């Protein structure tokens, strides 16, 4: 399938999504992977995870005119070694996605809404957020998917260790639609609060959430 979606936001950030339909060998031909990373990928037992890693590389080749070199900071945050563009990455079994911007810090996350998010309810949501969940189990699970992706996107944007998702990342009440905006607050350990406006879209039983700035 290859490039599934490419979207430029009003703030000049760009979102690109790749649908994984290729075989592992096909992805290898489409991606440019340095030898050291290829050795690392080859040690991954899960074929799905190997394909996700390769699909990220294939997507980078599709999006950037010049070859870029992907690396990661010690905390796991991705960066491009030979390019000033900021980047955040997410992947599932069927899709990989990136968001890029020339200046702003970023965060992006994606999940299939059919995954069981019951653990998220208990570990990542505040009491107030739990109270906002729909009584219908299926609708509540879809809400939980968006809560989780929103908190993960903010977490990636902040790039801090040992963040308590329930206490430090609060997502305002929302009505889940095909696409929209939601507000979130990150509370630092000293009590300082930063507010963010996140965007999201839903497609093919997946939810994709991002934050810029």
């Amino acid at each position: 399938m290859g490039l599934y979606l490419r979207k430029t936001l009003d703030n000049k950030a760009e979102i690109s999504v790749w649908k994984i339909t290729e075989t592992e060998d096909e992805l290898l031909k489409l991606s440019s992977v340095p030898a050291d990373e290829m050795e690392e990928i080859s040690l991954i037992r899960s074929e799905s995870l190997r394909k996700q890693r390769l699909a990220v590389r294939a997507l980078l080749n599709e999006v950037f005119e010049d070859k870029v070199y992907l690396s990661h900071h010690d905390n796991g945050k991705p960066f491009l070694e030979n390019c000033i563009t900021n980047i955040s990455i997410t992947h599932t079994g069927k899709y990989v996605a990136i968001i890029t911007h020339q200046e702003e810090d970023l965060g992006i996350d994606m999940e299939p809404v059919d995954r069981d998010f019951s653990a998220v309810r208990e570990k990542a949501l505040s009491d107030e957020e739990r109270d906002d969940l729909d009584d219908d189990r299926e609708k509540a699970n879809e809400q939980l998917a968006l809560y989780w992706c929103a908190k993960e996107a903010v977490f990636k944007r902040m790039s801090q260790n040992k963040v308590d998702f329930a206490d430090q990342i609060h997502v305002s009440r929302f009505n889940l639609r095909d696409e929209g905006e939601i507000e979130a607050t990150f509370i630092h350990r000293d009590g300082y609060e930063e507010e963010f406006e996140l965007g999201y879209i839903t497609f093919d039983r997946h939810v994709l959430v991002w934050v810029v700035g």
Side-chain angles (χ1 to χ4, degrees):
M1 174 70 185
L3 189 64
Y4 178 83
L5 176 144
R6 196 167 183 181
K7 178 182 179 73
T8 300
L9 307 179
D10 292 340
N11 55 26
K12 305 304 182 184
E14 185 172 80
I15 294 170
S16 304
V17 180
W18 182 286
K19 185 173 183 179
I20 306 172
T21 59
E22 300 83 4
T23 65
E24 191 170 346
D25 286 340
E26 288 171 336
L27 286 171
L28 275 168
K29 294 175 182 177
L30 292 169
S31 57
S32 301
V33 185
D36 56 344
E37 185 178 352
M38 194 62 244
E39 183 178 355
E40 179 185 331
I41 292 175
S42 67
L43 296 175
I44 299 174
R45 293 186 177 183
S46 167
E47 179 185 4
S48 176
L49 292 177
R50 291 196 305 271
K51 289 172 67 174
Q52 289 171 44
R53 290 281 294 272
L54 292 170
V56 168
R57 291 290 188 171
L59 181 55
L60 292 176
N61 284 351
E62 180 73 26
V63 169
F64 290 90
E65 291 184 6
D66 298 323
K67 185 176 180 180
V68 292
Y69 296 89
L70 179 66
S71 190
H72 295 80
H73 294 289
D74 291 341
N75 62 2
K77 184 177 181 179
F79 69 95
L80 302 174
E81 293 182 359
N82 61 325
C83 183
I84 62 171
T85 302
N86 292 328
I87 188 168
S88 185
I89 300 170
T90 184
H91 42 78
T92 70
K94 290 182 65 175
Y95 295 93
V96 300
I98 63 171
I99 185 170
T100 57
H101 195 282
Q102 294 299 311
E103 299 174 354
E104 300 287 356
D105 289 323
L106 307 157
I108 193 169
D109 199 64
M110 172 174 53
E111 289 285 353
V113 298
D114 294 323
R115 171 188 155 189
D116 181 5
F117 288 94
S118 56
V120 172
R121 179 201 298 262
E122 303 307 318
K123 296 182 179 179
L125 267 61
S126 66
D127 291 339
E128 182 179 353
E129 289 166 339
R130 291 190 199 104
D131 289 341
D132 287 338
L133 293 173
D134 197 283
D135 292 333
D136 180 82
R137 184 174 179 178
E138 182 175 348
K139 289 182 180 179
N141 197 68
E142 292 181 3
Q143 288 175 311
L144 286 167
L146 184 51
Y147 269 118
W148 177 250
C149 287
K151 295 196 177 203
E152 272 285 337
V154 172
F155 171 71
K156 292 177 180 180
R157 156 62 180 83
M158 298 307 298
S159 190
Q160 294 186 13
N161 295 321
K162 298 181 179 179
V163 172
D164 187 316
F165 278 37
D167 291 337
Q168 290 184 260
I169 307 176
H170 291 176
V171 176
S172 300
R173 187 171 185 172
F174 59 86
N175 293 315
L176 184 60
R177 301 187 295 271
D178 290 340
E179 60 180 298
E181 296 176 348
I182 52 179
E183 295 179 349
T185 303
F186 184 88
I187 304 172
H188 293 261
R189 292 184 181 88
D190 62 3
Y192 175 70
E193 297 184 1
E194 288 190 61
E195 296 184 354
F196 298 98
E197 187 174 274
L198 295 81
Y200 73 88
I201 56 174
T202 62
F203 60 92
D204 190 24
R205 301 296 292 169
H206 282 65
V207 61
L208 178 70
V209 184
W210 61 86
V211 59
V212 181

